[in-house]
mmCIF file with all atom_site columns, all heavy atoms in Angstrom:
data_model
loop_
_atom_site.group_PDB
_atom_site.id
_atom_site.type_symbol
_atom_site.label_atom_id
_atom_site.label_alt_id
_atom_site.label_comp_id
_atom_site.label_asym_id
_atom_site.label_entity_id
_atom_site.label_seq_id
_atom_site.pdbx_PDB_ins_code
_atom_site.Cartn_x
_atom_site.Cartn_y
_atom_site.Cartn_z
_atom_site.occupancy
_atom_site.B_iso_or_equiv
_atom_site.pdbx_formal_charge
_atom_site.auth_seq_id
_atom_site.auth_comp_id
_atom_site.auth_asym_id
_atom_site.auth_atom_id
_atom_site.pdbx_PDB_model_num
ATOM   1  N N   . ARG A 1 227 ? 77.059 40.796 70.449 1.00 0.00 ? 227 ARG A N   1
ATOM   2  C CA  . ARG A 1 227 ? 77.617 42.085 70.035 1.00 0.00 ? 227 ARG A CA  1
ATOM   3  C C   . ARG A 1 227 ? 78.844 42.399 70.864 1.00 0.00 ? 227 ARG A C   1
ATOM   4  O O   . ARG A 1 227 ? 78.794 42.399 72.087 1.00 0.00 ? 227 ARG A O   1
ATOM   5  C CB  . ARG A 1 227 ? 76.572 43.188 70.186 1.00 0.00 ? 227 ARG A CB  1
ATOM   6  C CG  . ARG A 1 227 ? 75.413 42.926 69.242 1.00 0.00 ? 227 ARG A CG  1
ATOM   7  C CD  . ARG A 1 227 ? 74.434 44.038 69.164 1.00 0.00 ? 227 ARG A CD  1
ATOM   8  N NE  . ARG A 1 227 ? 73.303 43.599 68.348 1.00 0.00 ? 227 ARG A NE  1
ATOM   9  C CZ  . ARG A 1 227 ? 72.251 44.348 68.091 1.00 0.00 ? 227 ARG A CZ  1
ATOM   10 N NH1 . ARG A 1 227 ? 72.158 45.566 68.586 1.00 0.00 ? 227 ARG A NH1 1
ATOM   11 N NH2 . ARG A 1 227 ? 71.282 43.871 67.337 1.00 0.00 ? 227 ARG A NH2 1
ATOM   12 N N   . GLU A 1 229 ? 80.179 45.050 71.345 1.00 0.00 ? 229 GLU A N   1
ATOM   13 C CA  . GLU A 1 229 ? 80.245 46.476 71.631 1.00 0.00 ? 229 GLU A CA  1
ATOM   14 C C   . GLU A 1 229 ? 80.770 46.659 73.050 1.00 0.00 ? 229 GLU A C   1
ATOM   15 O O   . GLU A 1 229 ? 80.387 45.950 73.968 1.00 0.00 ? 229 GLU A O   1
ATOM   16 C CB  . GLU A 1 229 ? 78.891 47.151 71.448 1.00 0.00 ? 229 GLU A CB  1
ATOM   17 C CG  . GLU A 1 229 ? 77.741 46.443 72.145 1.00 0.00 ? 229 GLU A CG  1
ATOM   18 C CD  . GLU A 1 229 ? 76.380 46.945 71.675 1.00 0.00 ? 229 GLU A CD  1
ATOM   19 O OE1 . GLU A 1 229 ? 76.339 47.773 70.759 1.00 0.00 ? 229 GLU A OE1 1
ATOM   20 O OE2 . GLU A 1 229 ? 75.378 46.502 72.243 1.00 0.00 ? 229 GLU A OE2 1
ATOM   21 N N   . HIS A 1 236 ? 73.230 46.597 78.475 1.00 0.00 ? 236 HIS A N   1
ATOM   22 C CA  . HIS A 1 236 ? 73.870 45.902 77.361 1.00 0.00 ? 236 HIS A CA  1
ATOM   23 C C   . HIS A 1 236 ? 74.592 44.636 77.819 1.00 0.00 ? 236 HIS A C   1
ATOM   24 O O   . HIS A 1 236 ? 75.274 44.637 78.832 1.00 0.00 ? 236 HIS A O   1
ATOM   25 C CB  . HIS A 1 236 ? 74.896 46.812 76.677 1.00 0.00 ? 236 HIS A CB  1
ATOM   26 C CG  . HIS A 1 236 ? 74.274 47.917 75.876 1.00 0.00 ? 236 HIS A CG  1
ATOM   27 N ND1 . HIS A 1 236 ? 73.983 49.138 76.414 1.00 0.00 ? 236 HIS A ND1 1
ATOM   28 C CD2 . HIS A 1 236 ? 73.883 47.962 74.578 1.00 0.00 ? 236 HIS A CD2 1
ATOM   29 C CE1 . HIS A 1 236 ? 73.444 49.905 75.476 1.00 0.00 ? 236 HIS A CE1 1
ATOM   30 N NE2 . HIS A 1 236 ? 73.353 49.223 74.351 1.00 0.00 ? 236 HIS A NE2 1
ATOM   31 N N   . GLU A 1 405 ? 65.209 52.007 75.190 1.00 0.00 ? 405 GLU A N   1
ATOM   32 C CA  . GLU A 1 405 ? 64.776 51.193 74.056 1.00 0.00 ? 405 GLU A CA  1
ATOM   33 C C   . GLU A 1 405 ? 64.610 49.723 74.436 1.00 0.00 ? 405 GLU A C   1
ATOM   34 O O   . GLU A 1 405 ? 65.538 49.090 74.911 1.00 0.00 ? 405 GLU A O   1
ATOM   35 C CB  . GLU A 1 405 ? 65.796 51.313 72.910 1.00 0.00 ? 405 GLU A CB  1
ATOM   36 C CG  . GLU A 1 405 ? 65.384 50.499 71.696 1.00 0.00 ? 405 GLU A CG  1
ATOM   37 C CD  . GLU A 1 405 ? 66.431 50.490 70.599 1.00 0.00 ? 405 GLU A CD  1
ATOM   38 O OE1 . GLU A 1 405 ? 67.199 51.462 70.488 1.00 0.00 ? 405 GLU A OE1 1
ATOM   39 O OE2 . GLU A 1 405 ? 66.477 49.496 69.859 1.00 0.00 ? 405 GLU A OE2 1
ATOM   40 N N   . ILE A 1 406 ? 63.407 49.197 74.194 1.00 0.00 ? 406 ILE A N   1
ATOM   41 C CA  . ILE A 1 406 ? 63.179 47.769 74.451 1.00 0.00 ? 406 ILE A CA  1
ATOM   42 C C   . ILE A 1 406 ? 62.949 47.034 73.127 1.00 0.00 ? 406 ILE A C   1
ATOM   43 O O   . ILE A 1 406 ? 63.277 45.853 72.999 1.00 0.00 ? 406 ILE A O   1
ATOM   44 C CB  . ILE A 1 406 ? 62.003 47.555 75.446 1.00 0.00 ? 406 ILE A CB  1
ATOM   45 C CG1 . ILE A 1 406 ? 61.932 46.110 75.928 1.00 0.00 ? 406 ILE A CG1 1
ATOM   46 C CG2 . ILE A 1 406 ? 60.669 48.005 74.870 1.00 0.00 ? 406 ILE A CG2 1
ATOM   47 C CD1 . ILE A 1 406 ? 61.092 45.931 77.165 1.00 0.00 ? 406 ILE A CD1 1
HETATM 48 P P1  . LIG B 2 .   ? 70.859 50.329 71.940 1.00 0.00 ? 501 LIG B P1  1
HETATM 49 O O1  . LIG B 2 .   ? 70.735 51.642 71.238 1.00 0.00 ? 501 LIG B O1  1
HETATM 50 O O2  . LIG B 2 .   ? 70.136 50.266 73.265 1.00 0.00 ? 501 LIG B O2  1
HETATM 51 O O3  . LIG B 2 .   ? 72.251 49.810 71.992 1.00 0.00 ? 501 LIG B O3  1
HETATM 52 P P2  . LIG B 2 .   ? 70.299 49.082 69.426 1.00 0.00 ? 501 LIG B P2  1
HETATM 53 O O4  . LIG B 2 .   ? 69.700 50.212 68.699 1.00 0.00 ? 501 LIG B O4  1
HETATM 54 O O5  . LIG B 2 .   ? 71.703 48.708 69.189 1.00 0.00 ? 501 LIG B O5  1
HETATM 55 O O6  . LIG B 2 .   ? 70.053 49.290 71.025 1.00 0.00 ? 501 LIG B O6  1
HETATM 56 P P3  . LIG B 2 .   ? 68.896 47.056 67.907 1.00 0.00 ? 501 LIG B P3  1
HETATM 57 O O7  . LIG B 2 .   ? 70.069 46.769 67.054 1.00 0.00 ? 501 LIG B O7  1
HETATM 58 O O8  . LIG B 2 .   ? 67.733 47.752 67.325 1.00 0.00 ? 501 LIG B O8  1
HETATM 59 O O9  . LIG B 2 .   ? 69.351 47.809 69.247 1.00 0.00 ? 501 LIG B O9  1
HETATM 60 O O10 . LIG B 2 .   ? 68.433 45.679 68.587 1.00 0.00 ? 501 LIG B O10 1
HETATM 61 C C1  . LIG B 2 .   ? 67.070 45.382 68.880 1.00 0.00 ? 501 LIG B C1  1
HETATM 62 C C2  . LIG B 2 .   ? 66.839 45.239 70.371 1.00 0.00 ? 501 LIG B C2  1
HETATM 63 O O11 . LIG B 2 .   ? 67.793 44.386 70.971 1.00 0.00 ? 501 LIG B O11 1
HETATM 64 C C3  . LIG B 2 .   ? 66.971 46.531 71.150 1.00 0.00 ? 501 LIG B C3  1
HETATM 65 O O12 . LIG B 2 .   ? 65.779 47.268 71.104 1.00 0.00 ? 501 LIG B O12 1
HETATM 66 C C4  . LIG B 2 .   ? 67.277 46.055 72.536 1.00 0.00 ? 501 LIG B C4  1
HETATM 67 O O13 . LIG B 2 .   ? 66.102 45.672 73.209 1.00 0.00 ? 501 LIG B O13 1
HETATM 68 C C5  . LIG B 2 .   ? 68.088 44.805 72.299 1.00 0.00 ? 501 LIG B C5  1
HETATM 69 N N1  . LIG B 2 .   ? 69.541 45.014 72.433 1.00 0.00 ? 501 LIG B N1  1
HETATM 70 C C6  . LIG B 2 .   ? 70.375 45.638 71.562 1.00 0.00 ? 501 LIG B C6  1
HETATM 71 N N2  . LIG B 2 .   ? 71.644 45.587 71.963 1.00 0.00 ? 501 LIG B N2  1
HETATM 72 C C7  . LIG B 2 .   ? 71.632 44.894 73.130 1.00 0.00 ? 501 LIG B C7  1
HETATM 73 C C8  . LIG B 2 .   ? 72.644 44.482 74.041 1.00 0.00 ? 501 LIG B C8  1
HETATM 74 N N3  . LIG B 2 .   ? 73.935 44.748 73.810 1.00 0.00 ? 501 LIG B N3  1
HETATM 75 N N4  . LIG B 2 .   ? 72.277 43.774 75.130 1.00 0.00 ? 501 LIG B N4  1
HETATM 76 C C9  . LIG B 2 .   ? 70.980 43.481 75.359 1.00 0.00 ? 501 LIG B C9  1
HETATM 77 N N5  . LIG B 2 .   ? 69.978 43.835 74.541 1.00 0.00 ? 501 LIG B N5  1
HETATM 78 C C10 . LIG B 2 .   ? 70.286 44.534 73.436 1.00 0.00 ? 501 LIG B C10 1
#
Side-chain angles (χ1 to χ4, degrees):
R227 296 188 186 179
E229 49 194 4
H236 288 90
E405 181 185 332
I406 191 163

